[in-house]
Amino acid sequence: MAQLALDDWLAAHPDVVQIPGRDLFIIARYLIPMEATLAQGCLAAAGIPAVLADAHLMQADLLLAPALGGVRILVPSDFLQQSADVLAGLARGDYALDESFTDE
């Protein structure tokens, strides 16, 4: 993503924060580690190199999750818009299995 387009996109999404000194951005936060793992799996399936941060810490003590900000999903700047679209689809239920699903 070109720097000007990246700046415009970040201005429209103030909840997305850059990790200082890195080309990684916090695209989402989850208080439940399993939800973060599910979201990271959807991003990986879409070809987005997403990483979980603090997942093991949250699993060790869920009572600390609100104080520490939960599990963070980090993505590189080149994948910000695509990852936001995938996470919005996940929130809408686009990836949910219907009741007639079989693994055949």
Side-chain angles (χ1 to χ4, degrees), residues 28-36 54-55 57-59 61-72:
R29 294 176 184 264
Y30 292 90
L31 292 179
I32 300 172
M34 185 53 83
E35 289 178 0
D54 302 327
L57 183 60
M58 295 304 117
Q59 286 180 335
D61 191 353
L62 279 176
L63 295 176
L64 291 177
L68 298 176
V71 179
R72 300 171 295 157

Side-chain angles (χ1 to χ4, degrees), residues 21-62:
R22 304 287 308 270
D23 183 37
L24 292 174
F25 290 80
I26 302 170
I27 191 73
R29 294 176 184 264
Y30 292 90
L31 292 179
I32 300 172
M34 185 53 83
E35 289 178 0
T37 304
L38 177 66
Q40 189 264 344
C42 288
L43 291 169
I48 301 168
V51 203
L52 294 181
D54 302 327
H56 296 294
L57 183 60
M58 295 304 117
Q59 286 180 335
D61 191 353
L62 279 176

Side-chain angles (χ1 to χ4, degrees), residues 93 95-102:
Y95 306 111
L97 299 176
D98 62 4
E99 305 220 358
S100 64
F101 174 77
T102 62

